Amino acid sequence: MARTKKTAAEAVTETAETTTLETVETVETNKTAKSRERTFLKSSIVRFAKYARVRDLLSALLEDGRKYSIREVDEILKGAE
């Protein structure tokens, strides 16, 4: 079999396509991971031992009846610093 050489333009295009595909797959994976995160009501979160020192702050920052993931709560607390 004869192997054909790729031109520089073809190599760059192939690399860009691969990188784009990897980026799309990463974004899709992140979306799926976020959709599988466990969520908790404000009333449960303020009772977590992890948040004992910031219980009053969380009571003020979180909305009643809304569910939050641990990641979301940690981000909200970072923003309140």
Side-chain angles (χ1 to χ4, degrees):
M1 277 187 176
R3 189 171 180 186
T4 60
K5 289 187 178 181
K6 293 180 187 176
T7 65
E10 289 172 330
V12 169
T13 301
E14 185 177 303
T15 302
E17 288 172 353
T18 302
T19 303
T20 302
L21 181 59
E22 290 170 354
T23 302
V24 169
E25 288 173 349
T26 301
V27 169
E28 290 301 320
T29 301
N30 288 342
K31 284 181 185 177
T32 304
K34 285 180 184 178
S35 67
R36 283 191 250 149
E37 282 183 302
R38 189 163 180 206
T39 57
F40 306 90
L41 288 170
K42 170 187 171 178
S43 58
S44 296
I45 293 169
V46 296
R47 290 182 280 151
F48 289 175
K50 174 180 180 171
Y51 299 120
R53 291 183 168 195
V54 291
R55 192 165 282 144
D56 291 337
L57 179 59
L58 283 177
S59 292
L61 294 173
L62 303 182
E63 297 175 27
D64 291 328
R66 179 169 169 215
K67 289 186 173 187
Y68 299 88
S69 68
I70 299 300
R71 180 187 50 79
E72 287 176 306
V73 174
D74 291 342
E75 287 176 8
I76 289 169
L77 287 171
K78 275 185 183 178
E81 291 178 345

